[in-house]
Amino acid sequence: MWCDTVTRDGEPGPRLGVHLGMGGRIVVTGPDGEHGGGEPVRPDRTPFKAAWDRFTVDFADGGRLRLFDKRRLGRVRLEPDLSGLGPDAEAIGPDEFRARVGRGRAPVKARLLDQSVLAGVGNLLADETLWQAAVAPSVPVDELDAAALDRLYVALQRALKAAVAGGGVHTGEVIPFRHAAAACPRCGAPMVHGKVGGRTTWWCSDEQAS
Ligand SMILES: [Zn+2]
């Protein structure tokens, strides 16, 4: 992710690029030190101890942004190279989505994860989107018709907005069912998994059969 900044004079400042690595989390606290945004506090996960802060920004009001990263694989860069990124997944229109995602023969999940096609779709969001649209993750994109691509587009926009509102992609409807012996929360068929585009992928064995 990256953050646009402004200088004290209101001019555009440098961009701050943040790579979360495998387990990095962004935590924002307010002037009182209370949790104010970013990764939600969850009792089942490692507490955000200051010893594992990899990077912090102190705000004028006393608040703080931290990159909490126990595994230390995260990175922060000033002026990151964004030239290889496609358009923001949330800003793209349906026509451009159809043209960009529908091109080639890659499995649709691999295409959604390709940041040069669309920027901002990670593994969980891709699984949520494909499940919402009832599209098989391994189907080659050139076998998707316009209606299926439009369904994917609508599902992606809905999943993105829900993730932002809910506090993260882990709040997706199908995410709690990405495990062995789980049933699809919509139709009750077994959830199944495999590797698609090099990533662990879960899908409904009935509605998303390829
Ligand atoms: Zn299902």
Side-chain angles (χ1 to χ4, degrees), residues 131 183-191 203-208:
W131 177 78
C184 169
R186 193 167 46 210
C187 77
M191 293 293 291
W203 65 92
C204 169
S205 57
D206 182 27
E207 299 170 293
Q208 294 174 272

Side-chain angles (χ1 to χ4, degrees), residues 95-115:
D95 295 343
E96 194 181 5
F97 178 89
R98 222 183 292 117
R100 294 183 80 95
V101 174
R103 190 184 309 142
R105 281 209 42 83
V108 61
K109 173 151 182 197
R111 198 84 185 132
L112 286 174
L113 291 175
D114 184 339
Q115 303 299 304

Side-chain angles (χ1 to χ4, degrees), residues 108-109 112 125-137 152 208:
V108 61
K109 173 151 182 197
L112 286 174
L125 185 60
D127 277 11
E128 175 73 16
T129 298
L130 289 160
W131 177 78
Q132 292 283 0
V135 169
L152 261 185
Q208 294 174 272

